[in-house]
Amino acid sequence: MKFLLLFIVIISSSCDINHFPTYFSYNSVRIIKIELFEFQPVNSNGNKWDDESYPDIYLIFSEENQPLIISPIRIEVEKSNLPIDIFFSTDIISNYFYKDLELFVYDKDELTEDDLMGRSGIFNFSNAIINNNYENILYLENGYLRLKVHLNWLE
């Protein structure tokens, strides 16, 4: 009996609760801002985005192939101004970590249809849940397009 008590005391004193992983339980994620680092220098015809100026850039945030929100337009974005911060007028909060999301970058044109400058490619937040790895920045690259999405995880 003494041996059993001694064994329990030794085991309990050698256990350190800090060795066990901490698991978070977030219910949603907020996109705080998006940084645009790079975009294709010319359109699909090989011409500048705008004839006598620089592109007027805006983003469309899409969920499951449905546009959800459009950012305000950033006027005359020169490559030398990059990176630029792009904010949306209302918070983008997603409660569905497995839904397909995508960002589209456009050049606003007055006389013709707006030009698609690039798209992020489909992403979602399922890896954060599966791996219990809640990063505050998500890097997206697709061709010339490079974006950094700043996140805030919410309980």
Side-chain angles (χ1 to χ4, degrees), residues 35-132:
E35 284 182 87
L36 175 62
F37 279 88
E38 186 74 30
F39 58 83
Q40 188 166 337
V42 294
N43 64 22
S44 59
N45 296 328
N47 300 322
K48 294 191 317 184
W49 290 107
D50 291 331
D51 290 333
E52 297 183 20
S53 63
Y54 298 99
D56 304 319
I57 294 177
Y58 67 95
L59 271 65
I60 296 179
F61 182 81
S62 172
E63 182 180 81
E64 297 289 324
N65 293 320
Q66 298 297 315
L68 285 184
I69 190 166
I70 300 172
S71 75
I73 298 170
R74 294 290 304 262
I75 305 294
E76 301 286 326
V77 177
E78 296 181 48
K79 298 280 260 180
S80 61
N81 294 340
L82 296 177
I84 59 167
D85 293 340
I86 299 173
F87 297 91
F88 291 88
S89 56
T90 58
D91 284 346
I92 299 173
I93 298 177
S94 179
N95 300 325
Y96 304 102
F97 296 141
Y98 295 92
K99 285 192 175 183
D100 290 338
L101 307 172
E102 193 163 17
L103 289 164
F104 297 86
V105 180
Y106 282 92
D107 171 31
K108 178 73 176 161
D109 291 323
E110 296 299 324
L111 303 177
T112 62
E113 187 176 325
D114 294 353
D115 298 317
L116 176 63
M117 298 178 73
R119 55 195 300 176
S120 66
I122 294 173
F123 67 98
N124 61 45
F125 301 110
S126 61
N127 281 341
I129 303 299
I130 293 167
N131 299 320
N132 193 41

